[in-house]
Structures are given as C-alpha cells and as structure tokens.
C-alpha cells in the first residue's frame, strides 16, 4: 500500500457536524459520529445525514505495524460471509491507515456476557452455530484467525454474530511454516496451540469459548 499524499480528513465549518473524513482515492465523504468504545462511528454522507453506518478502524502508520496492517487488509478485504464482519473500504494519509468496516450495533458477545453474567443453553447453541459457520468459511478461504475470543465476536442489531478483528490472522500455509510461534489471547488458546505444536485452527478455541459459557452458567 503506497502512502497517499492527500489529507484524508478536514474540519467542517459553520455547522454542527464535528468533522468529515474523505477517501482521497474516490472522493467518498464520511461524517464522523459518536465513539463506540474507542472506535468512531462513521456515516456515509451524500446528503450530510445518517444514511449507511460504518465503523472506522484507525491505525497509525509505522514501520513496525505496517506489514501486519497490510496483511490484515489483504485478507479481510477479500472476505464476504454473513458471519464475518464486512470490509467496505480502506485508504491512508500521511499519518494513518483507515479501515471502514461493517457496523455491529450490539457490540460483542463479551459485552453481552458481562451484562447478563450467564447465557442459556439455547443461546449458547445459537451463537456457537454462527461462530462455527464463520470459522468454516475462513478455513475454506485458507485463513486462520489466531485470536478468537468473545470480544472479537460482534453482534448486529439482529443479534447475528460476526467474526472480526483479523489483525493476527494469517494464511494457512504461512502458519504451517511458522510452527512454534504462539499468537492470540492466552485464556482462549487451544492446548496444542499454546505449546506451539501445531497451527491454531479455531476449533479448540471455539471449545474454550463454549467452556467459558458453561462455567459462567454453573456459577
């Protein structure tokens, strides 16, 4: 990804809109909305009002982060599945890389579990079926997520699960060449992944998530 020489943001003047973000390649204009945690909400603004909503992921340009971000964009931008967060666009300016992603208004399963403390068995089955469907699709595309956890399972307004945050994802063949490299969140690592014996494929982590739900149910 080359560095773009145009500024991707500009201040609005004379109205109540805080500021705009412009894709310098296409001229598409977005209006920044409220924060969802640390992630800004964007609105597509052909008429300067809320139309289509997106989430904006901002990554500062650095020599350390750039290869990882470029890999994430390359992998995520080619994915299209009902249980994977949609990737709409990306662009950059002199300071940041911007990824415009599908808006999941009900946050994540981590938020649901924190608020509810426990889930019923039918709810767990409902969510796990969707997670496994999303994982099956990723594996069919030759992609290993490597950081599956409740906070990376996002929820739409219809309570549909979307697997997101592919920052540690990699191609299956690349993971195979890097045996012994452990990636992910420790509490969600499958045993074979934690020991570096084989690439984590997600099934063990899905089991870890199911066990966490089961433990919460017993408390």
């Amino acid at each position: 990804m080359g560095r773009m020489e145009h500024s991707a943001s500009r201040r609005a003047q004379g109205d109540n809109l805080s500021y705009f973000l412009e894709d310098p390649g296409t001229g598409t204009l977005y209006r920044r909305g409220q924060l969802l945690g640390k992630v800004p909400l964007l609105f597509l603004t052909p008429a300067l009002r809320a139309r289509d909503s997106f989430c904006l992921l901002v990554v500062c340009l650095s020599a350390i982060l750039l290869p990882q971000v470029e890999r994430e964009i390359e992998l995520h931008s080619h994915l299209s599945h009902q249980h994977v967060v949609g990737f709409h666009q990306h662009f950059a300016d002199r300071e940041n890389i911007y990824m415009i992603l599908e808006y999941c208004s009900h946050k994540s399963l981590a938020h649901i579990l924190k608020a509810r403390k426990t889930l019923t068995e039918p709810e767990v089955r409902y969510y796990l079926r969707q997670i496994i469907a999303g994982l099956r699709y990723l594996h069919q595309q030759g992609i290993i997520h490597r950081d599956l956890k409740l906070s990376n399972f996002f929820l739409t307004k219809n309570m549909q699960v979307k697997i997101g945050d592919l920052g540690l994802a990699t191609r299956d063949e690349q993971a195979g060449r890097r045996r012994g490299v452990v990636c992910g969140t420790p509490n969600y690592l499958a045993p074979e992944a934690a020991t570096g014996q084989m690439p984590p494929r997600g099934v063990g982590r899905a089991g870890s998530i199911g066990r966490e739900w089961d433990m919460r149910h017993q408390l």
Side-chain angles (χ1 to χ4, degrees):
M1 182 194 315
R3 289 177 57 183
M4 298 183 181
E5 296 301 322
H6 300 84
S7 173
S9 63
R10 65 185 184 190
R11 290 284 175 183
Q13 298 180 357
D15 57 30
N16 294 325
L17 303 181
S18 56
Y19 68 89
F20 296 98
L21 187 69
E22 183 179 5
D23 180 345
T26 65
T28 302
L29 193 64
Y30 300 90
R31 176 169 63 85
R32 180 170 174 171
Q34 75 270 24
L35 292 176
L36 301 173
K38 296 182 179 180
V39 180
L41 178 62
L42 290 184
F43 299 114
L44 187 62
T45 58
L48 300 185
R49 65 177 184 269
R51 295 286 293 272
D52 299 321
S53 301
F54 303 92
C55 281
L56 173 68
L57 183 61
V58 183
V59 182
C60 294
L61 281 173
S62 73
I64 296 176
L65 289 177
L66 188 57
Q68 177 181 334
V69 175
E70 288 181 330
R71 183 180 67 243
E72 178 178 0
I73 291 172
E74 191 277 326
L75 294 177
H76 200 168
S77 62
H78 290 88
L79 299 177
S80 179
H81 189 268
Q82 61 180 339
H83 295 306
V84 176
V85 171
F87 188 104
H88 291 280
Q89 185 60 278
H90 75 279
F91 51 92
D93 59 21
R94 295 180 180 180
E95 298 179 350
N96 300 308
I97 298 174
Y98 304 92
M99 286 180 271
I100 299 177
L101 308 174
E102 179 180 5
Y103 173 40
C104 297
S105 61
H106 280 51
K107 299 184 179 180
S108 72
L109 286 177
H111 291 91
I112 297 294
L113 195 58
K114 182 177 180 180
R116 293 270 308 277
K117 307 302 181 185
T118 185
L119 297 176
T120 66
E121 289 186 8
E123 287 176 316
V124 172
R125 288 195 295 269
Y126 170 79
Y127 291 129
L128 279 178
R129 278 196 295 267
Q130 296 181 65
I131 292 169
I132 292 171
L135 287 176
R136 183 180 296 115
Y137 169 75
L138 290 178
H139 296 166
Q140 288 171 348
Q141 304 304 308
I143 294 174
I144 301 174
H145 189 284
R146 301 203 299 182
D147 194 21
L148 295 173
K149 55 187 177 182
L150 295 179
S151 59
N152 285 340
F153 300 138
F154 301 94
L155 294 167
T156 68
K157 64 180 180 180
N158 297 321
M159 302 305 287
Q160 186 177 48
V161 177
K162 302 275 186 172
I163 300 173
D165 192 353
L166 276 73
L168 293 179
T170 188
R171 294 285 181 188
D172 193 3
E173 64 272 14
Q174 293 171 339
R177 292 196 298 266
R178 299 182 64 188
R179 292 179 183 272
V181 178
V182 179
C183 296
T185 303
N187 288 345
Y188 292 93
L189 287 175
E192 66 274 13
T195 59
Q197 294 176 357
M198 63 180 295
R201 295 181 176 273
V203 177
R205 294 193 190 186
S208 298
I209 292 162
R211 286 195 299 274
E212 178 179 356
W213 276 331
D214 184 59
M215 290 174 64
R216 295 288 186 95
H217 182 71
Q218 295 175 20
L219 293 177

